[in-house]
Amino acid sequence: MKRKVLVLGAGIQGCCIALELANRGFKVDLIEQDSVPFNRSSIRNEGKIHLGLVYINDTGFETPKLMLKAALRFAPYLSRWIGIGVKDLNVGTPFYYLVSNQSFLDTEQLEQRYHQLEKLYCKSTEKESFTYLGYKPDKLVQKSSEENLAKHFNTDCLQGGFYTSELAIDTSKLAEHIRKAVKKHSNITFLGNHRILGISKNGSGYIVEGEKNRSNWKKKSLQVVNATWTDKFKLDETLGISPPKEILHRLKYRVIADIPEEMKNFPSATMVIGKFGDVVIRPDKTAYISWYPDACRGWSNSIEPPESWNEPSRGIVPNKDFDEISEQLIRETEKWYPAIRNCTPKIVDAGIIVAHGKTDVDNKKSRLHERSNIGVTSYDGYHSVETGKLTTAPMFAMDTADRAEKIYRQL
Ligand SMILES: Cc1cc2nc3c(=O)[nH]c(=O)nc-3n(C[C@H](O)[C@H](O)[C@H](O)COP(=O)(O)OP(=O)(O)OC[C@H]3O[C@@H](n4cnc5c(N)ncnc54)[C@H](O)[C@@H]3O)c2cc1C
């Protein structure tokens, strides 16, 4: 009973926490509303393992620092749980960062800040032996010539660009390996189709309650981890923990498309800095495509996302939306990455992004440019995790397991 933890939510965050706790000898009930783990935001995203470049507008530099730290731990920690090499994750080609004519930081300002990040990277790799997705890049960012940019991109929309060492993994491959590891681990019991409705205190422990197929269930434990992402603040509140101000939920769509053979070594690209988009080119001849102004189709400052977002965030998208969204995202993307017009869309789905703020990413002062106030908060044996990014989840999983172990030793 003492060495047991209830982990709520089976996205990347909940699964990594469950696997680390299970490796340390804890018995874990992993409780999830869907029938399989890894079925929501953790699979329906871009898979970029952030080196901090996207968050370079955080003037305090806390977010780039945090992302860099997490990125260097992503693969080493994952290999503890899923025991595979980075090659098994269908890693895409390195990203170009393309500076839009409408970017609110110009190429020179970006270059200065990237240089600051580079220095930080050199310092941290001097001290630590961690690698970035299995290798140690000599440099994170290099300014690109216009001639190089023009090989793949429409330079009329750009004021400049950088070649970077940043990479994205294929989240469907990650899902495959994590699902397998969770299923195989004898210390983990996966409880699918269990919707969690509330948490209450019970002496020195907790009671988690919910419903399954219209019947109520109840589970008790001395320690509980809340890794539900979209329902985190609502469930915290049932335990009396006040939600933060300025919660923001966004529903963002993506397209996965087949690409022709000749594109498979083309670069991945992110346009900065404002309301732009990304392309990831993967070795299995697929591409991730998203264009923020048309892909972000839901915005809510409520404590939980609207019910209508439930279906697209589980991958259920009606045919007419599939056609309309894929056509629009490809049309907008081919304006700056012309080869994208040769893609054939095969998946359209959406994920929910939980953050804090009132204004959008094209506002220089938006809180969306910061993602440093995330991670684990513990209230005795209740640990509530704000994942923040796919990139940070393995690092926060280790932190959560350390906290659970510390509490266990005090019991
Ligand atoms: C389009 C898009 C692109 C993104 N791109 C990137 C990127 O390139 N790089 C990056 O680092 N991050 C990216 N992110 C962010 C990243 O996807 C998330 O930070 C991360 O997946 C969150 O993981 P999680 O496990 O906390 O959440 P989830 O994967 O959503 O897992 C939470 C789990 O809890 C379950 N759950 C929730 N409520 C309940 C309840 N009441 N009862 C039972 N179960 C419940 C859910 O069903 C789900 O399985 C992106 C997000 C989106 C949407």
PDB file of all heavy atoms in Angstrom, residues 76-106:
ATOM      1  N   PRO A  76      18.444  10.494 -23.232  1.00  0.00           N
ATOM      2  CA  PRO A  76      19.019   9.630 -22.190  1.00  0.00           C
ATOM      3  C   PRO A  76      17.965   9.118 -21.204  1.00  0.00           C
ATOM      4  O   PRO A  76      17.993   7.949 -20.820  1.00  0.00           O
ATOM      5  CB  PRO A  76      20.029  10.537 -21.467  1.00  0.00           C
ATOM      6  CG  PRO A  76      20.330  11.643 -22.408  1.00  0.00           C
ATOM      7  CD  PRO A  76      19.167  11.781 -23.334  1.00  0.00           C
ATOM      8  N   TYR A  77      17.030   9.978 -20.812  1.00  0.00           N
ATOM      9  CA  TYR A  77      16.008   9.518 -19.863  1.00  0.00           C
ATOM     10  C   TYR A  77      15.046   8.536 -20.537  1.00  0.00           C
ATOM     11  O   TYR A  77      14.698   7.504 -19.971  1.00  0.00           O
ATOM     12  CB  TYR A  77      15.228  10.703 -19.265  1.00  0.00           C
ATOM     13  CG  TYR A  77      16.016  11.511 -18.243  1.00  0.00           C
ATOM     14  CD1 TYR A  77      15.494  12.693 -17.718  1.00  0.00           C
ATOM     15  CD2 TYR A  77      17.264  11.099 -17.791  1.00  0.00           C
ATOM     16  CE1 TYR A  77      16.205  13.450 -16.786  1.00  0.00           C
ATOM     17  CE2 TYR A  77      17.986  11.844 -16.864  1.00  0.00           C
ATOM     18  CZ  TYR A  77      17.455  13.011 -16.360  1.00  0.00           C
ATOM     19  OH  TYR A  77      18.151  13.739 -15.434  1.00  0.00           O
ATOM     20  N   LEU A  78      14.629   8.862 -21.766  1.00  0.00           N
ATOM     21  CA  LEU A  78      13.703   7.955 -22.456  1.00  0.00           C
ATOM     22  C   LEU A  78      14.291   6.563 -22.611  1.00  0.00           C
ATOM     23  O   LEU A  78      13.584   5.561 -22.480  1.00  0.00           O
ATOM     24  CB  LEU A  78      13.401   8.494 -23.856  1.00  0.00           C
ATOM     25  CG  LEU A  78      12.147   9.323 -24.048  1.00  0.00           C
ATOM     26  CD1 LEU A  78      11.988   9.625 -25.514  1.00  0.00           C
ATOM     27  CD2 LEU A  78      10.892   8.640 -23.526  1.00  0.00           C
ATOM     28  N   SER A  79      15.604   6.513 -22.872  1.00  0.00           N
ATOM     29  CA  SER A  79      16.204   5.194 -23.104  1.00  0.00           C
ATOM     30  C   SER A  79      16.142   4.337 -21.830  1.00  0.00           C
ATOM     31  O   SER A  79      16.184   3.112 -21.911  1.00  0.00           O
ATOM     32  CB  SER A  79      17.622   5.315 -23.644  1.00  0.00           C
ATOM     33  OG  SER A  79      18.437   5.848 -22.648  1.00  0.00           O
ATOM     34  N   ARG A  80      16.035   4.960 -20.653  1.00  0.00           N
ATOM     35  CA  ARG A  80      15.854   4.184 -19.412  1.00  0.00           C
ATOM     36  C   ARG A  80      14.541   3.406 -19.445  1.00  0.00           C
ATOM     37  O   ARG A  80      14.399   2.355 -18.850  1.00  0.00           O
ATOM     38  CB  ARG A  80      15.747   5.113 -18.185  1.00  0.00           C
ATOM     39  CG  ARG A  80      16.983   5.850 -17.809  1.00  0.00           C
ATOM     40  CD  ARG A  80      16.637   6.982 -16.862  1.00  0.00           C
ATOM     41  NE  ARG A  80      16.185   6.562 -15.543  1.00  0.00           N
ATOM     42  CZ  ARG A  80      16.977   6.386 -14.496  1.00  0.00           C
ATOM     43  NH1 ARG A  80      18.272   6.572 -14.626  1.00  0.00           N
ATOM     44  NH2 ARG A  80      16.483   6.026 -13.329  1.00  0.00           N
ATOM     45  N   TRP A  81      13.548   4.001 -20.112  1.00  0.00           N
ATOM     46  CA  TRP A  81      12.198   3.431 -20.031  1.00  0.00           C
ATOM     47  C   TRP A  81      11.831   2.612 -21.253  1.00  0.00           C
ATOM     48  O   TRP A  81      11.107   1.641 -21.151  1.00  0.00           O
ATOM     49  CB  TRP A  81      11.164   4.568 -19.839  1.00  0.00           C
ATOM     50  CG  TRP A  81      11.526   5.449 -18.696  1.00  0.00           C
ATOM     51  CD1 TRP A  81      11.919   5.030 -17.453  1.00  0.00           C
ATOM     52  CD2 TRP A  81      11.569   6.884 -18.663  1.00  0.00           C
ATOM     53  NE1 TRP A  81      12.206   6.113 -16.650  1.00  0.00           N
ATOM     54  CE2 TRP A  81      11.995   7.268 -17.369  1.00  0.00           C
ATOM     55  CE3 TRP A  81      11.276   7.890 -19.587  1.00  0.00           C
ATOM     56  CZ2 TRP A  81      12.130   8.596 -16.975  1.00  0.00           C
ATOM     57  CZ3 TRP A  81      11.419   9.201 -19.209  1.00  0.00           C
ATOM     58  CH2 TRP A  81      11.844   9.560 -17.916  1.00  0.00           C
ATOM     59  N   ILE A  82      12.304   3.036 -22.440  1.00  0.00           N
ATOM     60  CA  ILE A  82      11.863   2.301 -23.626  1.00  0.00           C
ATOM     61  C   ILE A  82      13.014   1.571 -24.321  1.00  0.00           C
ATOM     62  O   ILE A  82      12.773   0.837 -25.275  1.00  0.00           O
ATOM     63  CB  ILE A  82      11.077   3.205 -24.610  1.00  0.00           C
ATOM     64  CG1 ILE A  82      11.903   4.422 -25.050  1.00  0.00           C
ATOM     65  CG2 ILE A  82       9.776   3.672 -24.004  1.00  0.00           C
ATOM     66  CD1 ILE A  82      11.178   5.308 -26.058  1.00  0.00           C
ATOM     67  N   GLY A  83      14.232   1.803 -23.801  1.00  0.00           N
ATOM     68  CA  GLY A  83      15.394   1.026 -24.248  1.00  0.00           C
ATOM     69  C   GLY A  83      15.597   0.963 -25.751  1.00  0.00           C
ATOM     70  O   GLY A  83      15.913  -0.097 -26.283  1.00  0.00           O
ATOM     71  N   ILE A  84      15.418   2.083 -26.435  1.00  0.00           N
ATOM     72  CA  ILE A  84      15.634   2.061 -27.887  1.00  0.00           C
ATOM     73  C   ILE A  84      16.596   3.164 -28.267  1.00  0.00           C
ATOM     74  O   ILE A  84      16.867   4.063 -27.483  1.00  0.00           O
ATOM     75  CB  ILE A  84      14.314   2.292 -28.658  1.00  0.00           C
ATOM     76  CG1 ILE A  84      13.689   3.616 -28.198  1.00  0.00           C
ATOM     77  CG2 ILE A  84      13.372   1.129 -28.509  1.00  0.00           C
ATOM     78  CD1 ILE A  84      12.800   4.212 -29.222  1.00  0.00           C
ATOM     79  N   GLY A  85      17.078   3.119 -29.478  1.00  0.00           N
ATOM     80  CA  GLY A  85      17.960   4.174 -29.973  1.00  0.00           C
ATOM     81  C   GLY A  85      17.139   5.269 -30.621  1.00  0.00           C
ATOM     82  O   GLY A  85      15.964   5.071 -30.957  1.00  0.00           O
ATOM     83  N   VAL A  86      17.775   6.415 -30.808  1.00  0.00           N
ATOM     84  CA  VAL A  86      17.095   7.566 -31.387  1.00  0.00           C
ATOM     85  C   VAL A  86      16.613   7.249 -32.812  1.00  0.00           C
ATOM     86  O   VAL A  86      15.570   7.718 -33.259  1.00  0.00           O
ATOM     87  CB  VAL A  86      18.043   8.777 -31.369  1.00  0.00           C
ATOM     88  CG1 VAL A  86      17.443   9.957 -32.091  1.00  0.00           C
ATOM     89  CG2 VAL A  86      18.370   9.144 -29.931  1.00  0.00           C
ATOM     90  N   LYS A  87      17.363   6.378 -33.522  1.00  0.00           N
ATOM     91  CA  LYS A  87      17.002   6.019 -34.904  1.00  0.00           C
ATOM     92  C   LYS A  87      15.587   5.463 -34.980  1.00  0.00           C
ATOM     93  O   LYS A  87      14.899   5.613 -35.980  1.00  0.00           O
ATOM     94  CB  LYS A  87      17.988   4.987 -35.433  1.00  0.00           C
ATOM     95  CG  LYS A  87      19.284   5.584 -35.886  1.00  0.00           C
ATOM     96  CD  LYS A  87      19.925   4.699 -36.968  1.00  0.00           C
ATOM     97  CE  LYS A  87      21.267   5.245 -37.364  1.00  0.00           C
ATOM     98  NZ  LYS A  87      22.345   4.795 -36.474  1.00  0.00           N
ATOM     99  N   ASP A  88      15.176   4.784 -33.900  1.00  0.00           N
ATOM    100  CA  ASP A  88      13.839   4.176 -33.889  1.00  0.00           C
ATOM    101  C   ASP A  88      12.731   5.221 -33.820  1.00  0.00           C
ATOM    102  O   ASP A  88      11.551   4.883 -33.857  1.00  0.00           O
ATOM    103  CB  ASP A  88      13.704   3.239 -32.678  1.00  0.00           C
ATOM    104  CG  ASP A  88      14.734   2.127 -32.716  1.00  0.00           C
ATOM    105  OD1 ASP A  88      14.774   1.433 -33.733  1.00  0.00           O
ATOM    106  OD2 ASP A  88      15.499   1.984 -31.752  1.00  0.00           O
ATOM    107  N   LEU A  89      13.086   6.493 -33.637  1.00  0.00           N
ATOM    108  CA  LEU A  89      12.057   7.537 -33.489  1.00  0.00           C
ATOM    109  C   LEU A  89      11.847   8.326 -34.786  1.00  0.00           C
ATOM    110  O   LEU A  89      11.187   9.371 -34.769  1.00  0.00           O
ATOM    111  CB  LEU A  89      12.410   8.470 -32.322  1.00  0.00           C
ATOM    112  CG  LEU A  89      12.415   7.795 -30.945  1.00  0.00           C
ATOM    113  CD1 LEU A  89      12.862   8.764 -29.867  1.00  0.00           C
ATOM    114  CD2 LEU A  89      11.053   7.215 -30.600  1.00  0.00           C
ATOM    115  N   ASN A  90      12.380   7.832 -35.912  1.00  0.00           N
ATOM    116  CA  ASN A  90      12.110   8.448 -37.214  1.00  0.00           C
ATOM    117  C   ASN A  90      12.373   9.964 -37.183  1.00  0.00           C
ATOM    118  O   ASN A  90      11.518  10.776 -37.545  1.00  0.00           O
ATOM    119  CB  ASN A  90      10.646   8.155 -37.599  1.00  0.00           C
ATOM    120  CG  ASN A  90      10.336   8.409 -39.060  1.00  0.00           C
ATOM    121  OD1 ASN A  90      11.220   8.346 -39.915  1.00  0.00           O
ATOM    122  ND2 ASN A  90       9.080   8.720 -39.351  1.00  0.00           N
ATOM    123  N   VAL A  91      13.581  10.308 -36.713  1.00  0.00           N
ATOM    124  CA  VAL A  91      13.939  11.723 -36.520  1.00  0.00           C
ATOM    125  C   VAL A  91      14.011  12.461 -37.867  1.00  0.00           C
ATOM    126  O   VAL A  91      14.581  11.958 -38.834  1.00  0.00           O
ATOM    127  CB  VAL A  91      15.315  11.816 -35.796  1.00  0.00           C
ATOM    128  CG1 VAL A  91      15.760  13.266 -35.651  1.00  0.00           C
ATOM    129  CG2 VAL A  91      15.225  11.159 -34.430  1.00  0.00           C
ATOM    130  N   GLY A  92      13.433  13.661 -37.897  1.00  0.00           N
ATOM    131  CA  GLY A  92      13.383  14.455 -39.130  1.00  0.00           C
ATOM    132  C   GLY A  92      14.711  15.136 -39.448  1.00  0.00           C
ATOM    133  O   GLY A  92      15.674  15.067 -38.668  1.00  0.00           O
ATOM    134  N   THR A  93      14.758  15.816 -40.583  1.00  0.00           N
ATOM    135  CA  THR A  93      15.965  16.560 -40.963  1.00  0.00           C
ATOM    136  C   THR A  93      16.075  17.823 -40.092  1.00  0.00           C
ATOM    137  O   THR A  93      15.059  18.312 -39.584  1.00  0.00           O
ATOM    138  CB  THR A  93      15.901  16.970 -42.451  1.00  0.00           C
ATOM    139  OG1 THR A  93      14.675  17.683 -42.672  1.00  0.00           O
ATOM    140  CG2 THR A  93      15.949  15.752 -43.355  1.00  0.00           C
ATOM    141  N   PRO A  94      17.290  18.376 -39.908  1.00  0.00           N
ATOM    142  CA  PRO A  94      17.444  19.572 -39.061  1.00  0.00           C
ATOM    143  C   PRO A  94      16.633  20.770 -39.578  1.00  0.00           C
ATOM    144  O   PRO A  94      16.386  20.881 -40.779  1.00  0.00           O
ATOM    145  CB  PRO A  94      18.947  19.856 -39.132  1.00  0.00           C
ATOM    146  CG  PRO A  94      19.577  18.580 -39.543  1.00  0.00           C
ATOM    147  CD  PRO A  94      18.582  17.871 -40.401  1.00  0.00           C
ATOM    148  N   PHE A  95      16.286  21.631 -38.641  1.00  0.00           N
ATOM    149  CA  PHE A  95      15.428  22.787 -38.959  1.00  0.00           C
ATOM    150  C   PHE A  95      16.220  23.982 -39.471  1.00  0.00           C
ATOM    151  O   PHE A  95      17.255  24.341 -38.903  1.00  0.00           O
ATOM    152  CB  PHE A  95      14.711  23.278 -37.700  1.00  0.00           C
ATOM    153  CG  PHE A  95      13.509  22.466 -37.326  1.00  0.00           C
ATOM    154  CD1 PHE A  95      13.640  21.335 -36.525  1.00  0.00           C
ATOM    155  CD2 PHE A  95      12.240  22.833 -37.744  1.00  0.00           C
ATOM    156  CE1 PHE A  95      12.532  20.583 -36.163  1.00  0.00           C
ATOM    157  CE2 PHE A  95      11.126  22.101 -37.390  1.00  0.00           C
ATOM    158  CZ  PHE A  95      11.276  20.964 -36.597  1.00  0.00           C
ATOM    159  N   TYR A  96      15.697  24.618 -40.505  1.00  0.00           N
ATOM    160  CA  TYR A  96      16.051  26.000 -40.792  1.00  0.00           C
ATOM    161  C   TYR A  96      15.118  26.883 -39.970  1.00  0.00           C
ATOM    162  O   TYR A  96      13.936  26.557 -39.828  1.00  0.00           O
ATOM    163  CB  TYR A  96      15.827  26.322 -42.273  1.00  0.00           C
ATOM    164  CG  TYR A  96      17.030  26.099 -43.135  1.00  0.00           C
ATOM    165  CD1 TYR A  96      17.305  24.841 -43.673  1.00  0.00           C
ATOM    166  CD2 TYR A  96      17.898  27.139 -43.410  1.00  0.00           C
ATOM    167  CE1 TYR A  96      18.419  24.636 -44.466  1.00  0.00           C
ATOM    168  CE2 TYR A  96      19.018  26.937 -44.209  1.00  0.00           C
ATOM    169  CZ  TYR A  96      19.271  25.692 -44.724  1.00  0.00           C
ATOM    170  OH  TYR A  96      20.375  25.495 -45.506  1.00  0.00           O
ATOM    171  N   TYR A  97      15.632  27.974 -39.415  1.00  0.00           N
ATOM    172  CA  TYR A  97      14.771  28.995 -38.828  1.00  0.00           C
ATOM    173  C   TYR A  97      14.715  30.143 -39.828  1.00  0.00           C
ATOM    174  O   TYR A  97      15.749  30.749 -40.153  1.00  0.00           O
ATOM    175  CB  TYR A  97      15.319  29.458 -37.460  1.00  0.00           C
ATOM    176  CG  TYR A  97      14.741  28.622 -36.324  1.00  0.00           C
ATOM    177  CD1 TYR A  97      14.835  27.234 -36.358  1.00  0.00           C
ATOM    178  CD2 TYR A  97      14.076  29.215 -35.257  1.00  0.00           C
ATOM    179  CE1 TYR A  97      14.287  26.455 -35.350  1.00  0.00           C
ATOM    180  CE2 TYR A  97      13.519  28.444 -34.234  1.00  0.00           C
ATOM    181  CZ  TYR A  97      13.635  27.058 -34.295  1.00  0.00           C
ATOM    182  OH  TYR A  97      13.076  26.292 -33.295  1.00  0.00           O
ATOM    183  N   LEU A  98      13.525  30.389 -40.361  1.00  0.00           N
ATOM    184  CA  LEU A  98      13.335  31.378 -41.424  1.00  0.00           C
ATOM    185  C   LEU A  98      12.749  32.640 -40.815  1.00  0.00           C
ATOM    186  O   LEU A  98      11.706  32.577 -40.141  1.00  0.00           O
ATOM    187  CB  LEU A  98      12.371  30.819 -42.470  1.00  0.00           C
ATOM    188  CG  LEU A  98      12.747  29.437 -43.029  1.00  0.00           C
ATOM    189  CD1 LEU A  98      11.651  28.911 -43.942  1.00  0.00           C
ATOM    190  CD2 LEU A  98      14.081  29.529 -43.784  1.00  0.00           C
ATOM    191  N   VAL A  99      13.402  33.759 -41.022  1.00  0.00           N
ATOM    192  CA  VAL A  99      12.942  35.000 -40.399  1.00  0.00           C
ATOM    193  C   VAL A  99      11.973  35.703 -41.362  1.00  0.00           C
ATOM    194  O   VAL A  99      12.382  36.211 -42.411  1.00  0.00           O
ATOM    195  CB  VAL A  99      14.119  35.921 -40.027  1.00  0.00           C
ATOM    196  CG1 VAL A  99      13.622  37.090 -39.180  1.00  0.00           C
ATOM    197  CG2 VAL A  99      15.200  35.135 -39.302  1.00  0.00           C
ATOM    198  N   SER A 100      10.713  35.706 -40.982  1.00  0.00           N
ATOM    199  CA  SER A 100       9.670  36.299 -41.825  1.00  0.00           C
ATOM    200  C   SER A 100       9.872  37.817 -41.947  1.00  0.00           C
ATOM    201  O   SER A 100      10.403  38.457 -41.024  1.00  0.00           O
ATOM    202  CB  SER A 100       8.314  36.024 -41.176  1.00  0.00           C
ATOM    203  OG  SER A 100       7.343  36.901 -41.673  1.00  0.00           O
ATOM    204  N   ASN A 101       9.406  38.377 -43.067  1.00  0.00           N
ATOM    205  CA  ASN A 101       9.411  39.843 -43.196  1.00  0.00           C
ATOM    206  C   ASN A 101       8.588  40.500 -42.099  1.00  0.00           C
ATOM    207  O   ASN A 101       8.799  41.652 -41.760  1.00  0.00           O
ATOM    208  CB  ASN A 101       8.825  40.249 -44.549  1.00  0.00           C
ATOM    209  CG  ASN A 101       9.816  39.966 -45.665  1.00  0.00           C
ATOM    210  OD1 ASN A 101      11.028  39.978 -45.431  1.00  0.00           O
ATOM    211  ND2 ASN A 101       9.313  39.706 -46.863  1.00  0.00           N
ATOM    212  N   GLN A 102       7.611  39.709 -41.556  1.00  0.00           N
ATOM    213  CA  GLN A 102       6.753  40.279 -40.501  1.00  0.00           C
ATOM    214  C   GLN A 102       7.233  39.928 -39.077  1.00  0.00           C
ATOM    215  O   GLN A 102       6.522  40.204 -38.113  1.00  0.00           O
ATOM    216  CB  GLN A 102       5.323  39.765 -40.651  1.00  0.00           C
ATOM    217  CG  GLN A 102       4.434  40.602 -41.549  1.00  0.00           C
ATOM    218  CD  GLN A 102       4.244  39.896 -42.875  1.00  0.00           C
ATOM    219  OE1 GLN A 102       3.945  38.721 -42.910  1.00  0.00           O
ATOM    220  NE2 GLN A 102       4.464  40.620 -43.956  1.00  0.00           N
ATOM    221  N   SER A 103       8.388  39.334 -38.951  1.00  0.00           N
ATOM    222  CA  SER A 103       8.890  38.947 -37.622  1.00  0.00           C
ATOM    223  C   SER A 103       9.044  40.187 -36.739  1.00  0.00           C
ATOM    224  O   SER A 103       9.520  41.222 -37.203  1.00  0.00           O
ATOM    225  CB  SER A 103      10.262  38.281 -37.768  1.00  0.00           C
ATOM    226  OG  SER A 103      10.835  38.056 -36.503  1.00  0.00           O
ATOM    227  N   PHE A 104       8.651  40.061 -35.460  1.00  0.00           N
ATOM    228  CA  PHE A 104       8.809  41.248 -34.602  1.00  0.00           C
ATOM    229  C   PHE A 104      10.223  41.373 -34.027  1.00  0.00           C
ATOM    230  O   PHE A 104      10.533  42.362 -33.383  1.00  0.00           O
ATOM    231  CB  PHE A 104       7.714  41.355 -33.528  1.00  0.00           C
ATOM    232  CG  PHE A 104       7.674  40.221 -32.550  1.00  0.00           C
ATOM    233  CD1 PHE A 104       8.641  40.063 -31.582  1.00  0.00           C
ATOM    234  CD2 PHE A 104       6.626  39.321 -32.595  1.00  0.00           C
ATOM    235  CE1 PHE A 104       8.587  39.027 -30.691  1.00  0.00           C
ATOM    236  CE2 PHE A 104       6.569  38.275 -31.700  1.00  0.00           C
ATOM    237  CZ  PHE A 104       7.551  38.118 -30.749  1.00  0.00           C
ATOM    238  N   LEU A 105      11.070  40.357 -34.234  1.00  0.00           N
ATOM    239  CA  LEU A 105      12.509  40.539 -33.975  1.00  0.00           C
ATOM    240  C   LEU A 105      13.189  40.388 -35.335  1.00  0.00           C
ATOM    241  O   LEU A 105      12.841  39.487 -36.108  1.00  0.00           O
ATOM    242  CB  LEU A 105      13.043  39.474 -33.014  1.00  0.00           C
ATOM    243  CG  LEU A 105      12.569  39.517 -31.560  1.00  0.00           C
ATOM    244  CD1 LEU A 105      13.196  38.365 -30.769  1.00  0.00           C
ATOM    245  CD2 LEU A 105      12.912  40.840 -30.881  1.00  0.00           C
ATOM    246  N   ASP A 106      14.137  41.278 -35.654  1.00  0.00           N
ATOM    247  CA  ASP A 106      14.754  41.149 -36.978  1.00  0.00           C
ATOM    248  C   ASP A 106      15.941  40.168 -36.929  1.00  0.00           C
ATOM    249  O   ASP A 106      16.316  39.672 -35.857  1.00  0.00           O
ATOM    250  CB  ASP A 106      15.137  42.513 -37.560  1.00  0.00           C
ATOM    251  CG  ASP A 106      16.211  43.227 -36.750  1.00  0.00           C
ATOM    252  OD1 ASP A 106      17.009  42.541 -36.079  1.00  0.00           O
ATOM    253  OD2 ASP A 106      16.260  44.474 -36.791  1.00  0.00           O
TER     254      ASP A 106
END
